[in-house]
Amino acid sequence: MPEPGEKEGGAQFERRLNVLGSIIAPATLLGALLFYFGYVSSRAQYDYFGIDVDVIGLSTQDYVMRSPQPLMLPLLVFALVGAALIAWHAQIRRRSSRAGCAAAVRRGVVVGLVILVIGVVALLASPLLAGWGYYPLVTPLVLALGGAIAAYSLGTVRFLARTAGASHRPPPGVVVLLWAAVAACVFWATATVAQWSGLGLAQQQARRPDNLPSVIVDTEERLFLPDEERVNEIELPASADETFRFRYWGLRLLIVGGDRMFLIPNAWDNHNTTLVLPLDGSVRLQFQFRNLEP
């Protein structure tokens, strides 16, 4: 049968979850987060091709629709870690009355603070460590881990002190601020994952541009493309009824934004350029079949 202290601790934990749910539930906040992570991922993706994502003209809905891919892995990790922590929390509460529990919790506070100090040192040493590729992910994760261990251990110390009727308890403001720091670090780490996801998608598109739609472009004027070896050009026969004089193929449609389309060559390397053409009467487009059997 659960002890009174265990019931009180479980009820308090549920109340905290309810408060957290009331904070993150509003659709406006959720939409803002989805927009932000979709923007970060898209910015990294198209920056690989030399395009500022703000030039494309994507809408808020476009960024929100692009957010599930970079968020899939973090959400899966958070769900699994959250489930493990809830089970661990239940075990600690059941054993809170045993001898040595208070000492173990105090050691947890020390361990958390030590990890937190290591993270702060890494944060202050950012000018020296910024060149390390994993720095934007490792640093916030170390800070979040140390802050979470310290905050949870301090909260458990408060619970044990209240159960024992002790008057000396850690101030609740410290616990709240530590959890706020953990949330900020998790946000930082998730943004880093979103950025890497966008860059990885761009590199995949560059390696396999044949997965993008193939486009034939007719123009009124010669484009003078620098990628002449990868993009084919022919001059169309002159005709009184024909305003288009040049045809280009070997191009792939990267994205359409607003009234412009962004094209890349069939074979991409870091010396290529991204072609930007208006979607108006000055160009004529033909999209080629995938050449797959029906």
Side-chain angles (χ1 to χ4, degrees), residues 257-275:
D259 57 351
R260 286 169 295 182
M261 58 182 176
F262 299 80
L263 308 173
I264 62 174
N266 263 333
W268 173 267
D269 60 40
N270 58 357
H271 300 293
N272 290 138
T273 58
T274 300
L275 177 64

Side-chain angles (χ1 to χ4, degrees), residues 34-77:
L34 293 176
F35 169 82
Y36 175 77
F37 291 120
Y39 177 84
V40 170
S41 176
S42 299
R43 187 173 188 84
Q45 177 183 354
Y46 295 110
D47 181 70
Y48 182 85
F49 295 100
I51 307 171
D52 189 334
V53 72
D54 296 326
V55 175
I56 299 176
L58 298 176
S59 64
T60 301
Q61 183 178 0
D62 293 328
Y63 289 121
V64 172
M65 294 296 291
R66 291 169 177 269
S67 62
Q69 177 176 351
L71 288 180
M72 190 65 66
L73 179 59
L75 289 177
L76 179 60
V77 172

Side-chain angles (χ1 to χ4, degrees), residues 136-203:
L137 182 64
V138 172
T139 302
L141 289 181
V142 171
L143 287 169
L145 178 62
I149 293 176
Y152 181 80
S153 300
L154 286 172
T156 305
V157 169
R158 284 181 52 82
F159 167 75
L160 295 176
R162 185 171 60 252
T163 304
S167 58
H168 298 288
R169 306 171 190 172
V174 175
V175 179
V176 172
L177 290 176
L178 282 174
W179 282 121
V182 170
C185 292
V186 169
F187 185 88
W188 178 7
T190 306
T192 300
V193 172
Q195 182 180 7
W196 288 357
S197 174
L199 178 60
L201 180 59
Q203 291 173 328

